[in-house]
Amino acid sequence: MRVVACRVELMSDLRIREARPEEHGEISALALRSKGHWGYSAEFLEACRDELTFDAATCGSGLMWVVEQDATVLGFSLVSGESEDGELSALFIDPPAIGTGCGRMLLEHTLRAARAAGFTRLELDADPGAEAFYLRFGARRIGTAPSGSVPGRVLPRLEIALTE
């Protein structure tokens, strides 16, 4: 019962905005914490550190958004690409905020913003634990992709159509 009340309170004052370059350290740390939500070992997370580190230029690109509450960043997303076909390069939620609706709110915003920017579809490599989340939003599996951090590891490759 307490968790439900917390979720309602959390959703009431969330805000989404563009990420700022100076937030790159905070955003990178959040990405690593979020990855850890899936129960990976410290060694695995260390292997992912470079791939989950975002520089100031990326954070200030205009294609990265954060969801925040009371000036605290709870999650972020990143779209990349220059044509109609883009990439959902990142979507991470801080573990205490997972399951509160932050991820849904952020993904819906990201998809709208990508559509407004001219993208007609986004592809992404999903963490196996997050695949079901994306499927609920209309993503479909189009194959697999090698992990950028761990040799021999394979990730679900998904596609989200942005046409209405």
Side-chain angles (χ1 to χ4, degrees), residues 35 38 40 125-133 141 153-156:
K35 189 68 153 176
W38 300 109
Y40 296 120
D125 297 335
D127 186 283
E131 181 177 13
F133 170 78
R141 188 182 255 223
R153 183 170 189 248
V154 178
L155 302 172

Side-chain angles (χ1 to χ4, degrees), residues 52-117:
L52 298 179
T53 297
F54 298 89
D55 62 20
T58 300
C59 291
S61 69
L63 291 173
M64 180 183 275
W65 299 274
V66 299
V67 58
E68 67 179 3
Q69 180 184 44
D70 300 327
T72 299
V73 174
L74 301 176
F76 72 95
S77 63
L78 172 65
V79 171
S80 59
E82 306 231 352
S83 68
E84 293 179 356
D85 297 331
E87 184 83 14
L88 179 57
S89 301
L91 192 146
F92 291 96
I93 303 296
D94 211 1
I98 290 174
T100 65
C102 285
R104 175 188 55 79
M105 183 179 177
L106 183 58
L107 180 59
E108 287 173 347
H109 171 86
T110 302
L111 297 178
R112 282 191 307 272
R115 188 179 298 116

Side-chain angles (χ1 to χ4, degrees), residues 28-43:
S28 297
L30 188 152
L32 207 55
R33 286 193 308 276
S34 181
K35 189 68 153 176
H37 169 76
W38 300 109
Y40 296 120
S41 69
E43 295 80 19

